[in-house]
């Protein structure tokens, strides 16, 4: 900008970008980073060699007696590096709540076992009978 020129009143000086004859910059663009933290964490875990482990539920027991419970979490681990990452929706519970859930599961397990026993067994009538034995077939020399 030419320091000899006077600015009109009420006009704000802006930073000049480029040489003479170029329009001044209108404003500074601010980039928003929505969700970039998750992508950055995923990229870091991938570079560390973490692989996903299928787990139904994770319970973290704190020294204060509180339990942080994750239902259907996304668990990634690299056991060689002693690294474990648990992500998902967490809920804070007391140990009594967890014990009640375990008792409820314990009552459901015998019910599931009795239902399997009452199911009809697969019939062996549909299977053909085995002719000969495998040992005889492998012991015979191949003649070609």
């Amino acid at each position: 900008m030419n320091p000899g020129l006077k600015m009109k009143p009420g006009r704000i000086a802006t930073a000049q970008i480029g040489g003479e004859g170029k329009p001044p910059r209108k404003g500074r663009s601010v980039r928003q980073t929505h969700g970039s933290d998750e992508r950055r964490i995923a990229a870091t875990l991938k570079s560390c060699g973490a692989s996903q482990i299928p787990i139904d539920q994770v319970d973290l027991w704190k020294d204060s007696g509180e339990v942080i419970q994750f239902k259907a979490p996304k668990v990634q681990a690299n056991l060689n590096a002693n690294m474990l990452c648990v992500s998902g929706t967490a809920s804070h519970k007391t140990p009594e709540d967890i014990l009640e859930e375990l008792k409820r599961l314990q009552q459901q397990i015998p019910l599931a076992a009795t239902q399997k026993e009452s199911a009809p067994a697969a019939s062996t009538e549909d299977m053909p009978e085995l002719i000969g034995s495998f040992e005889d077939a492998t012991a015979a020399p191949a003649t070609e």
Side-chain angles (χ1 to χ4, degrees):
M1 295 184 88
N2 192 345
L5 294 176
K6 291 184 180 178
M7 290 186 53
K8 294 181 182 176
R11 187 170 171 179
I12 300 172
T14 58
Q16 182 76 28
I17 301 291
E20 223 174 282
K22 297 282 183 180
R25 179 170 50 185
K26 301 244 178 179
R28 185 174 229 166
S29 64
V30 178
R31 294 186 182 183
Q32 295 181 357
T33 57
H34 294 292
S36 67
D37 291 338
E38 292 178 18
R39 280 184 263 146
R40 192 177 307 147
I41 291 171
T44 304
L45 288 172
K46 186 176 180 181
S47 68
C48 291
S51 58
Q52 191 158 349
I53 300 174
I55 294 180
D56 295 332
Q57 180 176 333
V58 174
D59 295 330
L60 299 176
W61 294 74
K62 296 171 86 177
D63 290 336
S64 64
E66 189 178 14
V67 180
I68 302 173
Q69 186 177 52
F70 293 88
K71 293 272 186 175
K74 182 178 178 183
V75 179
Q76 295 175 327
N78 184 352
L79 300 178
N80 294 335
N82 288 336
M83 183 186 69
L84 184 71
C85 177
V86 179
S87 60
T89 306
S91 60
H92 297 274
K93 296 189 175 188
T94 61
E96 290 81 22
D97 295 339
I98 302 295
L99 290 176
E100 287 176 15
E101 288 182 22
L102 290 175
K103 287 179 184 176
R104 207 173 317 125
L105 285 173
Q106 184 183 14
Q107 291 171 354
Q108 291 176 357
I109 290 173
L111 292 175
T114 57
Q115 290 174 353
K116 285 183 181 178
E117 290 173 3
S118 64
S123 64
T124 56
E125 297 172 2
D126 297 338
M127 288 194 236
E129 289 187 26
L130 182 63
I131 300 173
S133 67
F134 292 111
E135 289 82 19
D136 295 339
T138 57
T143 56
E144 285 187 26

